[in-house]
Amino acid sequence: MADTQLDAATFAVAIVELGRRESHAALHETAGRDLGRLYDELEQRLARGPFFCGDFSLADIAIAPHLMAAAFLGFPLDPAKQPALMRWMERVQERPAVARDNADVMETLQRLQAQDQPAFDPYRVQWRSDRLEWVIKNGFAEWFAEEMRAGRTFFPIAVAH
């Protein structure tokens, strides 16, 4: 779920809103709806214990950065709808390795901002599997076609003609 559905639901929004500093209301609304569904599913999975697999595991490590990125993009958890997920996030944030990683990310972003450098190139974006599927199945095929026509996309494997 982490590197597939959660990543896919936030990827295009990160490119457009964070990278290009542009607004795309339909993209944002669709991502919010999909993330709400995923948050509810994660909430249900936490009914069995404090972490996704009982004890802290790779599942928790995989999901945490996607939820943090989603919140940064304007898709926070809802304490009324996802109280277990909120408590889980607090537990994860208390872990020393996560706190160190958060500090490293903030330091890097601040350094890039001070140097007037972007965190990534939003006009030359690699698309793959779940990210591309999310865009197409949610009705943004024409938007993506325009991205391709404008030369703002590339794929991980070159296609021989």
Side-chain angles (χ1 to χ4, degrees):
M1 178 186 285
D3 291 335
T4 56
Q5 296 178 59
L6 288 167
D7 175 72
T10 57
F11 189 71
V13 173
I15 293 164
V16 172
E17 295 182 4
L18 177 65
R20 297 179 189 164
R21 301 186 197 280
E22 297 172 0
S23 177
H24 194 302
L27 193 65
H28 192 94
E29 179 183 327
T30 303
R33 187 174 53 248
D34 203 21
L35 287 166
R37 176 186 62 79
L38 294 168
Y39 292 171
D40 290 345
E41 185 176 330
L42 290 169
E43 177 74 14
Q44 293 301 315
R45 291 182 184 197
L46 284 170
R48 297 183 295 266
F51 296 104
F52 288 106
C53 295
D55 294 325
F56 187 72
S57 71
L58 188 55
D60 303 288
I61 294 167
I63 291 170
H66 292 288
L67 295 188
M68 291 175 2
F72 183 76
L73 292 169
F75 306 106
L77 299 172
D78 182 338
K81 291 182 178 179
Q82 295 106 14
L85 196 52
M86 292 285 295
R87 289 190 303 273
W88 169 84
M89 185 59 101
E90 291 168 3
R91 284 190 294 277
V92 169
Q93 296 295 326
E94 291 171 354
R95 301 190 66 84
V98 174
R100 281 192 307 272
D101 187 61
N102 288 344
D104 287 347
V105 168
M106 290 307 296
E107 179 184 320
T108 299
L109 291 174
Q110 289 169 345
R111 179 177 44 78
L112 289 171
Q113 185 177 31
Q115 297 170 349
D116 200 27
Q117 296 291 317
F120 62 94
D121 183 354
Y123 298 100
R124 189 77 178 126
V125 179
Q126 177 180 328
W127 288 87
R128 61 164 171 75
S129 59
D130 298 295
R131 294 170 174 175
L132 182 56
E133 178 186 337
W134 187 92
V135 166
I136 303 303
K137 78 178 182 183
N138 282 289
F140 300 103
E142 185 52 41
W143 173 83
F144 188 76
E146 179 54 35
E147 292 291 296
M148 290 180 66
R149 284 189 289 273
R152 295 188 289 254
T153 64
F154 70 96
F155 299 92
I157 300 173
V159 177
H161 296 281

